[in-house]
Coordinates of all heavy atoms in Angstrom, one line a residue:
M50 N -1.3 12.0 1.2 CA -1.5 10.9 0.3 C -0.4 10.8 -0.7 O 0.1 9.7 -1.1 CB -2.9 11.0 -0.4 CG -3.2 9.9 -1.3 SD -3.6 8.4 -0.3 CE -4.3 7.5 -1.6
T51 N 0.1 12.0 -1.2 CA 1.1 12.0 -2.2 C 2.4 11.3 -1.7 O 3.0 10.5 -2.4 CB 1.4 13.4 -2.6 OG1 0.2 14.0 -3.1 CG2 2.5 13.5 -3.7
K52 N 2.7 11.6 -0.4 CA 3.9 11.0 0.2 C 3.8 9.5 0.3 O 4.7 8.8 0.1 CB 4.2 11.6 1.6 CG 5.4 11.1 2.3 CD 5.6 11.8 3.6 CE 6.8 11.3 4.3 NZ 7.0 11.9 5.6
A53 N 2.6 9.1 0.7 CA 2.3 7.6 0.9 C 2.5 6.9 -0.4 O 3.1 5.8 -0.5 CB 0.9 7.4 1.5
V54 N 1.9 7.4 -1.5 CA 2.0 6.8 -2.8 C 3.5 6.8 -3.3 O 4.0 5.8 -3.8 CB 1.1 7.5 -3.8 CG1 1.3 7.0 -5.2 CG2 -0.4 7.3 -3.4
A55 N 4.2 7.9 -3.1 CA 5.6 8.0 -3.5 C 6.4 6.9 -2.7 O 7.3 6.2 -3.4 CB 6.2 9.3 -3.2
I56 N 6.2 6.7 -1.5 CA 6.9 5.7 -0.7 C 6.5 4.3 -1.2 O 7.4 3.4 -1.5 CB 6.6 5.8 0.8 CG1 7.2 7.0 1.4 CG2 7.0 4.5 1.6 CD1 6.8 7.4 2.8
A57 N 5.2 4.0 -1.5 CA 4.8 2.7 -1.9 C 5.4 2.4 -3.3 O 5.6 1.2 -3.6 CB 3.3 2.7 -2.0
N58 N 5.7 3.4 -4.1 CA 6.3 3.2 -5.4 C 7.8 3.4 -5.5 O 8.4 3.3 -6.6 CB 5.6 4.1 -6.4 CG 4.2 3.7 -6.6 OD1 3.8 2.5 -6.8 ND2 3.3 4.6 -6.6
A59 N 8.4 3.6 -4.3 CA 9.9 3.9 -4.3 C 10.7 2.7 -4.7 O 10.2 1.5 -4.6 CB 10.3 4.3 -2.9
N60 N 11.8 2.9 -5.2 CA 12.7 1.9 -5.7 C 13.3 1.2 -4.5 O 13.5 1.8 -3.4 CB 13.8 2.4 -6.5 CG 13.3 2.8 -7.9 OD1 12.4 2.2 -8.4 ND2 14.0 3.8 -8.5
I61 N 13.7 -0.1 -4.7 CA 14.4 -0.9 -3.7 C 15.9 -0.9 -4.1 O 16.2 -1.2 -5.3 CB 13.9 -2.3 -3.6 CG1 12.4 -2.4 -3.4 CG2 14.7 -3.1 -2.6 CD1 11.9 -1.7 -2.1
R62 N 16.8 -0.5 -3.2 CA 18.2 -0.5 -3.5 C 19.0 -0.8 -2.3 O 18.8 -0.1 -1.3 CB 18.6 0.8 -4.1 CG 20.1 0.8 -4.6 CD 20.6 2.0 -5.4 NE 20.3 3.3 -4.7 CZ 19.5 4.2 -5.2 NH1 18.9 4.1 -6.4 NH2 19.4 5.4 -4.6
A63 N 19.8 -1.8 -2.3 CA 20.7 -2.1 -1.2 C 21.6 -0.9 -0.8 O 21.9 -0.1 -1.7 CB 21.6 -3.3 -1.5
A64 N 21.9 -0.8 0.4 CA 22.6 0.3 1.0 C 24.0 0.4 0.3 O 24.5 1.5 0.1 CB 22.8 0.2 2.5
D65 N 24.6 -0.7 -0.2 CA 25.9 -0.6 -0.8 C 25.8 -0.5 -2.3 O 26.8 -0.4 -3.0 CB 26.7 -1.9 -0.5 CG 26.0 -3.2 -0.9 OD1 24.8 -3.1 -1.3 OD2 26.7 -4.2 -0.9
Q66 N 24.6 -0.3 -2.8 CA 24.4 -0.2 -4.3 C 24.4 1.3 -4.6 O 23.7 2.1 -4.0 CB 23.1 -0.8 -4.7 CG 22.9 -0.9 -6.2 CD 21.6 -1.6 -6.5 OE1 20.8 -1.9 -5.6 NE2 21.4 -1.8 -7.8
E67 N 25.1 1.7 -5.6 CA 25.1 3.1 -6.0 C 23.9 3.5 -6.8 O 23.3 2.7 -7.6 CB 26.4 3.4 -6.9 CG 27.7 3.4 -6.0 CD 28.8 4.0 -6.8 OE1 28.6 4.9 -7.7 OE2 29.9 3.6 -6.5
A68 N 23.5 4.8 -6.7 CA 22.4 5.3 -7.4 C 22.7 5.5 -8.9 O 23.9 5.8 -9.2 CB 21.9 6.6 -6.8
P69 N 21.8 5.2 -9.8 CA 22.1 5.5 -11.2 C 22.4 7.0 -11.4 O 21.9 7.8 -10.7 CB 20.8 5.1 -11.9 CG 20.0 4.4 -10.9 CD 20.5 4.7 -9.6
E70 N 23.2 7.3 -12.4 CA 23.6 8.6 -12.7 C 22.4 9.6 -13.0 O 22.5 10.7 -12.6 CB 24.6 8.7 -13.9 CG 26.0 8.2 -13.6 CD 26.9 8.4 -14.8 OE1 26.6 9.3 -15.7 OE2 27.8 7.6 -14.9
D71 N 21.4 9.1 -13.6 CA 20.3 9.9 -14.0 C 19.2 10.0 -12.9 O 18.2 10.6 -13.1 CB 19.7 9.4 -15.3 CG 19.1 8.0 -15.2 OD1 19.5 7.3 -14.3 OD2 18.4 7.6 -16.1
E72 N 19.4 9.4 -11.7 CA 18.5 9.5 -10.7 C 18.4 10.9 -10.0 O 19.5 11.4 -9.6 CB 18.8 8.4 -9.6 CG 17.7 8.4 -8.5 CD 18.0 7.2 -7.5 OE1 18.8 7.5 -6.6 OE2 17.5 6.2 -7.7
P73 N 17.3 11.5 -9.9 CA 17.2 12.8 -9.3 C 17.7 12.8 -7.9 O 17.5 11.8 -7.1 CB 15.7 13.1 -9.4 CG 15.1 12.2 -10.4 CD 16.0 11.0 -10.4
E74 N 18.4 13.9 -7.5 CA 18.8 14.0 -6.1 C 17.7 14.0 -5.2 O 16.6 14.6 -5.4 CB 19.7 15.2 -6.0 CG 20.4 15.2 -4.7 CD 21.6 16.3 -4.7 OE1 22.1 16.5 -5.8 OE2 21.8 16.8 -3.6
G75 N 17.8 13.3 -4.0 CA 16.7 13.3 -3.0 C 15.7 12.2 -3.3 O 14.7 12.1 -2.6
T76 N 15.9 11.3 -4.3 CA 15.0 10.2 -4.5 C 15.0 9.3 -3.3 O 16.1 8.9 -2.8 CB 15.5 9.5 -5.8 OG1 15.4 10.3 -6.9 CG2 14.6 8.3 -6.1
V77 N 13.8 8.9 -2.9 CA 13.7 8.0 -1.7 C 13.8 6.6 -2.2 O 13.1 6.2 -3.2 CB 12.3 8.3 -1.0 CG1 12.1 7.3 0.1 CG2 12.2 9.7 -0.5
T78 N 14.6 5.8 -1.6 CA 14.8 4.4 -1.8 C 14.7 3.7 -0.5 O 14.9 4.3 0.6 CB 16.1 4.1 -2.6 OG1 17.2 4.4 -1.7 CG2 16.2 4.8 -3.9
F79 N 14.5 2.4 -0.6 CA 14.5 1.5 0.6 C 15.4 0.3 0.4 O 15.5 -0.2 -0.8 CB 13.1 1.1 0.9 CG 12.2 2.2 1.3 CD1 11.5 3.0 0.4 CD2 12.1 2.6 2.7 CE1 10.7 4.1 0.8 CE2 11.4 3.6 3.1 CZ 10.7 4.4 2.2
P80 N 16.0 -0.2 1.4 CA 16.9 -1.4 1.3 C 16.2 -2.7 1.0 O 16.8 -3.6 0.5 CB 17.7 -1.4 2.6 CG 16.7 -0.8 3.6 CD 16.0 0.3 2.8
T81 N 14.9 -2.8 1.4 CA 14.1 -4.0 1.2 C 12.7 -3.7 1.0 O 12.2 -2.6 1.3 CB 14.2 -4.9 2.5 OG1 13.5 -4.2 3.6 CG2 15.6 -5.2 2.9
I82 N 12.0 -4.7 0.4 CA 10.5 -4.5 0.2 C 9.8 -4.3 1.5 O 8.9 -3.5 1.6 CB 10.0 -5.7 -0.6 CG1 10.6 -5.7 -2.0 CG2 8.5 -5.8 -0.6 CD1 10.3 -7.0 -2.8
Q83 N 10.3 -5.1 2.5 CA 9.6 -5.0 3.8 C 9.8 -3.6 4.4 O 8.8 -3.0 4.9 CB 10.2 -6.0 4.8 CG 9.5 -5.9 6.1 CD 9.9 -7.1 7.1 OE1 10.6 -8.0 6.7 NE2 9.6 -6.9 8.3
A84 N 10.9 -3.0 4.3 CA 11.1 -1.6 4.8 C 10.2 -0.6 4.1 O 9.7 0.3 4.7 CB 12.6 -1.2 4.7
R85 N 10.1 -0.8 2.8 CA 9.3 0.1 2.0 C 7.8 -0.1 2.4 O 7.1 0.9 2.6 CB 9.4 -0.1 0.5 CG 8.5 0.7 -0.3 CD 8.7 0.5 -1.8 NE 8.2 -0.9 -2.1 CZ 8.4 -1.4 -3.3 NH1 9.0 -0.8 -4.3 NH2 7.9 -2.7 -3.5
A86 N 7.4 -1.3 2.6 CA 6.0 -1.6 2.9 C 5.6 -1.1 4.3 O 4.6 -0.5 4.5 CB 5.7 -3.1 2.8
E87 N 6.6 -1.2 5.3 CA 6.3 -0.7 6.6 C 6.2 0.8 6.6 O 5.3 1.3 7.3 CB 7.5 -1.1 7.5 CG 7.4 -2.6 7.9 CD 8.7 -3.1 8.6 OE1 9.7 -2.3 8.7 OE2 8.7 -4.2 9.1
S88 N 7.0 1.5 5.9 CA 6.9 2.9 5.8 C 5.7 3.4 5.1 O 5.0 4.3 5.5 CB 8.2 3.5 5.0 OG 8.2 4.9 5.0
A89 N 5.3 2.7 4.0 CA 4.1 3.0 3.2 C 2.9 2.8 4.1 O 1.9 3.6 4.1 CB 4.0 2.2 2.0
L90 N 2.9 1.7 4.8 CA 1.7 1.4 5.7 C 1.5 2.5 6.7 O 0.4 3.0 6.9 CB 2.0 0.1 6.5 CG 0.9 -0.4 7.5 CD1 -0.4 -0.6 6.8 CD2 1.4 -1.7 8.2
R91 N 2.6 3.0 7.4 CA 2.4 4.1 8.3 C 1.8 5.3 7.7 O 0.9 6.0 8.2 CB 3.8 4.4 9.0 CG 4.2 3.5 10.0 CD 5.5 4.0 10.8 NE 6.6 4.2 9.9 CZ 7.5 3.3 9.5 NH1 7.3 2.0 10.0 NH2 8.5 3.6 8.8
E92 N 2.3 5.7 6.5 CA 1.8 6.9 5.8 C 0.3 6.7 5.4 O -0.5 7.6 5.5 CB 2.7 7.2 4.6 CG 4.0 7.7 4.9 CD 4.1 8.9 5.7 OE1 3.2 9.8 5.5 OE2 4.9 9.1 6.6
F93 N 0.0 5.5 4.8 CA -1.4 5.3 4.4 C -2.3 5.3 5.7 O -3.4 5.9 5.6 CB -1.6 4.0 3.7 CG -1.1 4.1 2.2 CD1 -0.1 3.2 1.8 CD2 -1.6 5.0 1.3 CE1 0.3 3.2 0.5 CE2 -1.2 5.0 0.0 CZ -0.2 4.2 -0.4
Q94 N -1.9 4.7 6.8 CA -2.7 4.8 8.0 C -2.9 6.2 8.5 O -3.9 6.5 9.1 CB -2.1 3.8 9.0 CG -2.3 2.4 8.7 CD -1.6 1.4 9.7 OE1 -0.5 1.8 10.2 NE2 -2.1 0.2 9.8
A95 N -1.9 7.0 8.4 CA -2.0 8.4 8.8 C -3.1 9.1 8.0 O -3.9 9.9 8.5 CB -0.7 9.2 8.6
V96 N -3.1 8.8 6.7 CA -4.2 9.4 5.8 C -5.6 9.0 6.3 O -6.5 9.8 6.4 CB -3.9 9.1 4.3 CG1 -5.1 9.6 3.5 CG2 -2.6 9.8 3.8
T97 N -5.7 7.6 6.5 CA -7.0 7.1 6.8 C -7.5 7.7 8.2 O -8.7 7.9 8.4 CB -7.1 5.6 6.9 OG1 -6.1 5.1 7.8 CG2 -6.8 5.0 5.5
S98 N -6.6 7.9 9.1 CA -7.0 8.4 10.4 C -7.2 9.9 10.4 O -8.2 10.4 11.1 CB -6.0 8.0 11.5 OG -4.9 8.9 11.6
H99 N -6.5 10.7 9.7 CA -6.6 12.1 9.6 C -7.7 12.6 8.7 O -8.2 13.7 8.8 CB -5.3 12.8 9.3 CG -4.3 12.7 10.4 ND1 -3.3 11.8 10.3 CD2 -4.2 13.3 11.6 CE1 -2.5 11.9 11.4 NE2 -3.1 12.8 12.2
H100 N -8.1 11.7 7.7 CA -9.1 12.2 6.7 C -10.2 11.1 6.6 O -10.7 10.9 5.5 CB -8.4 12.4 5.4 CG -7.3 13.4 5.4 ND1 -7.5 14.7 5.5 CD2 -5.9 13.2 5.5 CE1 -6.3 15.4 5.6 NE2 -5.4 14.5 5.6
A101 N -10.6 10.5 7.7 CA -11.6 9.5 7.7 C -12.9 10.0 7.0 O -13.3 11.2 7.1 CB -12.0 9.1 9.1
G102 N -13.5 9.2 6.2 CA -14.8 9.5 5.6 C -14.6 10.2 4.2 O -15.6 10.6 3.6
T103 N -13.4 10.4 3.8 CA -13.1 11.1 2.5 C -12.8 10.0 1.5 O -12.4 8.9 1.8 CB -12.0 12.1 2.6 OG1 -10.8 11.4 2.9 CG2 -12.3 13.1 3.7
V104 N -12.8 10.5 0.2 CA -12.4 9.6 -0.9 C -10.9 9.3 -0.7 O -10.5 8.2 -1.0 CB -12.7 10.3 -2.3 CG1 -12.1 9.5 -3.4 CG2 -14.2 10.5 -2.4
A105 N -10.1 10.3 -0.3 CA -8.7 10.0 -0.1 C -8.5 8.9 0.9 O -7.6 8.1 0.7 CB -8.0 11.3 0.3
A106 N -9.3 8.9 1.9 CA -9.1 7.8 3.0 C -9.4 6.5 2.4 O -8.8 5.5 2.7 CB -10.0 8.1 4.2
S107 N -10.4 6.4 1.5 CA -10.7 5.1 0.9 C -9.6 4.6 0.0 O -9.2 3.4 0.0 CB -12.0 5.3 0.0 OG -13.1 5.6 0.8
W108 N -9.0 5.5 -0.8 CA -7.8 5.2 -1.6 C -6.7 4.8 -0.7 O -5.9 3.9 -1.0 CB -7.5 6.3 -2.6 CG -8.4 6.3 -3.7 CD1 -9.4 7.2 -4.0 CD2 -8.3 5.4 -4.9 NE1 -10.0 6.9 -5.2 CE2 -9.4 5.8 -5.7 CE3 -7.6 4.4 -5.2 CZ2 -9.6 5.2 -6.9 CZ3 -7.8 3.7 -6.4 CH2 -8.8 4.1 -7.2
A109 N -6.5 5.5 0.4 CA -5.4 5.2 1.3 C -5.6 3.8 1.9 O -4.6 3.1 2.2 CB -5.3 6.3 2.4
R110 N -6.8 3.5 2.2 CA -7.1 2.1 2.7 C -6.7 1.1 1.8 O -6.2 0.0 2.2 CB -8.6 2.0 3.0 CG -9.0 0.7 3.7 CD -8.8 0.7 5.2 NE -9.6 1.7 5.8 CZ -9.3 2.1 7.1 NH1 -8.3 1.7 7.7 NH2 -10.1 3.0 7.6
L111 N -6.9 1.3 0.5 CA -6.4 0.3 -0.5 C -4.9 0.2 -0.5 O -4.3 -0.9 -0.5 CB -6.8 0.8 -1.9 CG -8.3 0.6 -2.3 CD1 -8.6 1.2 -3.6 CD2 -8.6 -0.9 -2.3
G112 N -4.2 1.4 -0.3 CA -2.7 1.4 -0.2 C -2.3 0.6 1.0 O -1.3 -0.1 1.0
E113 N -3.0 0.9 2.1 CA -2.7 0.2 3.4 C -2.8 -1.4 3.2 O -1.9 -2.1 3.6 CB -3.7 0.6 4.4 CG -3.7 -0.1 5.7 CD -4.8 0.3 6.7 OE1 -5.3 1.5 6.5 OE2 -5.1 -0.5 7.6
A114 N -3.9 -1.8 2.5 CA -4.1 -3.2 2.3 C -3.0 -3.8 1.4 O -2.5 -4.9 1.7 CB -5.5 -3.4 1.6
H115 N -2.6 -3.1 0.4 CA -1.5 -3.6 -0.4 C -0.2 -3.7 0.3 O 0.6 -4.7 0.2 CB -1.3 -2.7 -1.7 CG -2.3 -3.1 -2.8 ND1 -2.2 -4.2 -3.5 CD2 -3.4 -2.4 -3.2 CE1 -3.2 -4.2 -4.4 NE2 -4.0 -3.1 -4.2
A116 N 0.1 -2.7 1.2 CA 1.3 -2.8 2.0 C 1.2 -4.0 3.0 O 2.2 -4.7 3.2 CB 1.4 -1.5 2.8
L117 N 0.1 -4.2 3.5 CA -0.1 -5.4 4.4 C 0.1 -6.7 3.6 O 0.7 -7.6 4.2 CB -1.5 -5.4 5.0 CG -1.7 -4.3 6.1 CD1 -3.2 -4.1 6.3 CD2 -1.0 -4.7 7.4
L118 N -0.3 -6.8 2.4 CA 0.0 -7.9 1.6 C 1.5 -8.1 1.4 O 2.0 -9.2 1.5 CB -0.6 -7.8 0.2 CG -2.0 -8.3 0.0 CD1 -2.5 -8.0 -1.5 CD2 -2.2 -9.7 0.4
E119 N 2.2 -7.0 1.1 CA 3.7 -7.1 1.0 C 4.4 -7.5 2.3 O 5.4 -8.1 2.2 CB 4.2 -5.7 0.5 CG 4.0 -5.4 -0.9 CD 4.7 -4.2 -1.4 OE1 5.1 -3.3 -0.6 OE2 5.0 -4.2 -2.6
L120 N 3.7 -7.2 3.4 CA 4.3 -7.7 4.7 C 3.8 -9.1 5.1 O 4.1 -9.5 6.2 CB 3.9 -6.6 5.8 CG 4.5 -5.3 5.6 CD1 3.8 -4.3 6.6 CD2 6.0 -5.3 5.9
N121 N 3.1 -9.7 4.2 CA 2.6 -11.0 4.4 C 1.6 -11.1 5.6 O 1.5 -12.2 6.2 CB 3.7 -12.1 4.6 CG 3.3 -13.5 4.2 OD1 2.4 -13.6 3.3 ND2 3.8 -14.5 4.8
R122 N 0.9 -10.0 5.8 CA -0.1 -10.0 6.9 C -1.5 -10.1 6.1 O -2.2 -9.2 6.0 CB 0.0 -8.7 7.6 CG 1.2 -8.6 8.5 CD 1.4 -7.3 9.2 NE 0.3 -6.8 9.9 CZ 0.2 -5.5 10.4 NH1 1.2 -4.7 10.3 NH2 -0.9 -5.1 11.0
I123 N -1.7 -11.3 5.6 CA -2.7 -11.6 4.7 C -4.1 -11.3 5.3 O -5.0 -10.7 4.6 CB -2.6 -13.0 4.2 CG1 -1.2 -13.3 3.6 CG2 -3.7 -13.3 3.1 CD1 -0.7 -12.4 2.6
S124 N -4.4 -11.8 6.5 CA -5.7 -11.6 7.1 C -6.0 -10.1 7.3 O -7.1 -9.7 7.0 CB -5.8 -12.4 8.4 OG -7.0 -12.2 9.0
D125 N -5.0 -9.4 7.7 CA -5.1 -7.9 7.9 C -5.4 -7.3 6.6 O -6.2 -6.3 6.5 CB -3.9 -7.3 8.6 CG -3.7 -7.8 10.0 OD1 -4.7 -8.2 10.7 OD2 -2.6 -7.7 10.5
A126 N -4.7 -7.7 5.6 CA -4.9 -7.1 4.2 C -6.3 -7.4 3.7 O -6.9 -6.5 3.2 CB -3.9 -7.7 3.2
R127 N -6.8 -8.6 3.9 CA -8.1 -8.9 3.4 C -9.1 -8.0 4.1 O -10.1 -7.5 3.5 CB -8.4 -10.4 3.6 CG -9.8 -10.8 3.0 CD -9.9 -12.3 2.9 NE -9.3 -13.1 4.0 CZ -9.9 -13.4 5.1 NH1 -11.1 -13.1 5.4 NH2 -9.2 -14.2 6.0
T128 N -9.0 -7.9 5.4 CA -9.9 -7.0 6.2 C -9.8 -5.6 5.7 O -10.8 -4.9 5.6 CB -9.5 -7.1 7.7 OG1 -9.6 -8.4 8.2 CG2 -10.4 -6.1 8.5
A129 N -8.6 -5.1 5.4 CA -8.5 -3.7 4.9 C -9.1 -3.6 3.5 O -9.7 -2.5 3.2 CB -7.0 -3.3 4.8
F130 N -9.0 -4.6 2.7 CA -9.6 -4.5 1.3 C -11.1 -4.5 1.5 O -11.8 -3.7 0.8 CB -9.2 -5.7 0.5 CG -7.9 -5.6 -0.2 CD1 -6.9 -6.5 0.1 CD2 -7.6 -4.5 -1.0 CE1 -5.6 -6.4 -0.5 CE2 -6.3 -4.4 -1.6 CZ -5.4 -5.3 -1.4
E131 N -11.7 -5.3 2.4 CA -13.1 -5.3 2.7 C -13.6 -3.9 3.2 O -14.6 -3.4 2.8 CB -13.5 -6.4 3.7 CG -13.3 -7.8 3.1 CD -13.4 -8.9 4.1 OE1 -13.4 -8.6 5.3 OE2 -13.3 -10.1 3.7
K132 N -12.8 -3.4 4.1 CA -13.1 -2.1 4.6 C -13.1 -1.0 3.5 O -14.0 -0.1 3.5 CB -12.2 -1.7 5.7 CG -12.7 -0.7 6.7 CD -11.8 -0.6 7.9 CE -12.4 0.2 9.0 NZ -11.6 0.3 10.2
A133 N -12.1 -1.1 2.6 CA -12.0 -0.1 1.5 C -13.2 -0.2 0.6 O -13.8 0.8 0.2 CB -10.7 -0.3 0.7
R134 N -13.7 -1.4 0.4 CA -14.9 -1.6 -0.5 C -16.1 -1.0 0.2 O -16.9 -0.3 -0.5 CB -15.1 -3.1 -0.7 CG -16.2 -3.3 -1.7 CD -16.3 -4.8 -2.1 NE -17.4 -4.9 -3.0 CZ -18.3 -5.9 -2.9 NH1 -18.2 -6.8 -1.9 NH2 -19.3 -6.0 -3.8
R135 N -16.2 -1.2 1.5 CA -17.4 -0.5 2.2 C -17.3 1.0 2.2 O -18.2 1.7 2.0 CB -17.5 -1.1 3.6 CG -18.1 -2.4 3.8 CD -18.4 -2.8 5.2 NE -17.3 -2.5 6.2 CZ -16.3 -3.4 6.5 NH1 -16.3 -4.5 5.9 NH2 -15.4 -3.0 7.3
E136 N -16.1 1.5 2.5 CA -15.9 2.9 2.7 C -15.9 3.6 1.3 O -16.2 4.8 1.3 CB -14.5 3.2 3.3 CG -14.4 2.8 4.8 CD -13.0 2.9 5.3 OE1 -12.1 3.1 4.5 OE2 -12.9 2.7 6.5
G137 N -15.6 2.9 0.2 CA -15.6 3.5 -1.1 C -16.9 3.8 -1.7 O -17.0 4.6 -2.7
G138 N -18.0 3.3 -1.0 CA -19.3 3.6 -1.5 C -19.6 3.2 -2.9 O -19.3 2.1 -3.3
D139 N -20.0 4.2 -3.7 CA -20.4 3.9 -5.1 C -19.3 4.1 -6.1 O -19.5 4.0 -7.3 CB -21.6 4.8 -5.5 CG -22.8 4.5 -4.7 OD1 -23.0 3.4 -4.3 OD2 -23.7 5.4 -4.6
D140 N -18.1 4.4 -5.6 CA -16.9 4.6 -6.5 C -16.5 3.2 -7.2 O -16.0 2.4 -6.5 CB -15.7 5.2 -5.8 CG -14.6 5.6 -6.7 OD1 -14.3 4.8 -7.6 OD2 -14.1 6.7 -6.5
P141 N -16.8 3.1 -8.5 CA -16.5 1.8 -9.1 C -15.0 1.4 -9.1 O -14.7 0.2 -9.1 CB -17.1 1.9 -10.5 CG -17.1 3.4 -10.8 CD -17.3 4.0 -9.4
M142 N -14.1 2.4 -9.2 CA -12.7 2.1 -9.2 C -12.2 1.6 -7.9 O -11.5 0.6 -7.8 CB -11.9 3.4 -9.6 CG -12.1 3.8 -11.0 SD -11.6 2.5 -12.2 CE -9.8 2.4 -11.9
I143 N -12.7 2.2 -6.8 CA -12.3 1.7 -5.5 C -12.9 0.3 -5.2 O -12.2 -0.6 -4.8 CB -12.8 2.7 -4.4 CG1 -12.0 4.0 -4.4 CG2 -12.6 2.0 -3.0 CD1 -12.5 5.1 -3.5
S144 N -14.1 0.1 -5.6 CA -14.8 -1.2 -5.5 C -14.0 -2.3 -6.3 O -13.7 -3.4 -5.7 CB -16.2 -1.1 -5.9 OG -16.8 -2.4 -5.7
A145 N -13.6 -2.0 -7.5 CA -12.9 -2.9 -8.3 C -11.6 -3.3 -7.8 O -11.2 -4.4 -7.7 CB -12.8 -2.4 -9.8
R146 N -10.8 -2.2 -7.3 CA -9.5 -2.5 -6.8 C -9.6 -3.3 -5.4 O -8.8 -4.1 -5.2 CB -8.8 -1.1 -6.5 CG -8.5 -0.3 -7.7 CD -7.3 -0.9 -8.5 NE -6.1 -1.1 -7.8 CZ -5.1 -0.3 -7.5 NH1 -5.2 0.9 -7.9 NH2 -4.1 -0.7 -6.8
A147 N -10.6 -3.0 -4.7 CA -10.8 -3.7 -3.4 C -11.1 -5.2 -3.7 O -10.6 -6.1 -3.0 CB -11.9 -3.1 -2.6
L148 N -12.0 -5.4 -4.6 CA -12.3 -6.8 -5.0 C -11.1 -7.6 -5.5 O -10.9 -8.7 -5.2 CB -13.5 -6.9 -6.0 CG -14.9 -6.5 -5.5 CD1 -15.9 -6.4 -6.6 CD2 -15.3 -7.6 -4.5
E149 N -10.4 -6.9 -6.3 CA -9.1 -7.5 -6.9 C -8.2 -7.8 -5.7 O -7.6 -8.9 -5.7 CB -8.4 -6.5 -7.8 CG -7.1 -7.0 -8.4 CD -6.4 -5.9 -9.2 OE1 -6.3 -4.8 -8.8 OE2 -6.0 -6.3 -10.3
G150 N -8.0 -6.9 -4.8 CA -7.2 -7.1 -3.6 C -7.6 -8.3 -2.8 O -6.8 -9.1 -2.3
M151 N -9.0 -8.4 -2.6 CA -9.5 -9.5 -1.8 C -9.2 -10.8 -2.5 O -8.9 -11.8 -1.8 CB -11.0 -9.3 -1.6 CG -11.3 -8.1 -0.7 SD -13.0 -7.5 -0.7 CE -14.0 -8.9 -0.6
G152 N -9.2 -10.8 -3.8 CA -8.8 -12.0 -4.6 C -7.3 -12.3 -4.3 O -7.0 -13.5 -4.1
F153 N -6.5 -11.3 -4.4 CA -5.0 -11.5 -4.1 C -4.8 -12.1 -2.7 O -4.0 -13.1 -2.5 CB -4.2 -10.2 -4.2 CG -4.1 -9.7 -5.6 CD1 -4.0 -8.3 -5.8 CD2 -4.0 -10.5 -6.7 CE1 -3.9 -7.8 -7.0 CE2 -3.9 -10.0 -8.0 CZ -3.8 -8.6 -8.1
A154 N -5.6 -11.6 -1.7 CA -5.5 -12.1 -0.3 C -6.0 -13.5 -0.2 O -5.3 -14.4 0.4 CB -6.3 -11.2 0.6
L155 N -7.1 -13.9 -0.9 CA -7.6 -15.2 -0.8 C -6.6 -16.2 -1.5 O -6.4 -17.3 -1.1 CB -9.0 -15.3 -1.5 CG -10.1 -14.7 -0.7 CD1 -11.4 -14.6 -1.5 CD2 -10.3 -15.5 0.6
E156 N -6.0 -15.7 -2.6 CA -5.0 -16.5 -3.3 C -3.8 -16.8 -2.4 O -3.3 -17.9 -2.4 CB -4.6 -15.8 -4.6 CG -3.6 -16.6 -5.5 CD -3.3 -15.9 -6.7 OE1 -3.1 -14.7 -6.7 OE2 -3.2 -16.6 -7.8
A157 N -3.4 -15.8 -1.7 CA -2.2 -15.9 -0.8 C -2.5 -16.9 0.3 O -1.6 -17.5 0.8 CB -1.8 -14.6 -0.3
E158 N -3.8 -17.0 0.7 CA -4.2 -17.9 1.7 C -4.5 -19.3 1.2 O -5.0 -20.2 1.9 CB -5.5 -17.4 2.4 CG -5.3 -16.1 3.3 CD -6.5 -15.6 3.9 OE1 -7.6 -15.6 3.2 OE2 -6.5 -15.1 5.0
N159 N -4.3 -19.5 -0.1 CA -4.6 -20.7 -0.8 C -6.1 -21.1 -0.8 O -6.4 -22.3 -0.6 CB -3.7 -21.8 -0.3 CG -2.3 -21.6 -0.6 OD1 -1.9 -21.2 -1.8 ND2 -1.4 -21.8 0.3
K160 N -7.0 -20.1 -0.9 CA -8.4 -20.4 -0.8 C -9.0 -20.3 -2.2 O -8.6 -19.7 -3.0 CB -9.1 -19.5 0.2 CG -8.7 -19.8 1.6 CD -9.5 -18.9 2.5 CE -9.1 -19.3 4.0 NZ -9.8 -18.5 4.9

């Protein structure tokens, strides 16, 4: 899960752009938002499949849904947010984030 979150929050930097002087060595960056979202999606899906039924999997499902939004896969994102809400059970933070995400998806669909 740590790797998935790090990827989802990684900086975007074109291949020809130099790293800032104060950037730690080994910092992961991506050339485009799409490349970052695709990588994050794979990592979040690995967490949900290997740790199904856990709180970590519910949080990973939210990350998966956000990555899908970034990839403009709106219907898939809405489905993932709905699934996260169901899987999150009584956790109010997961429920709130899932509802918020469902709203983002509906807004993206102009509904």
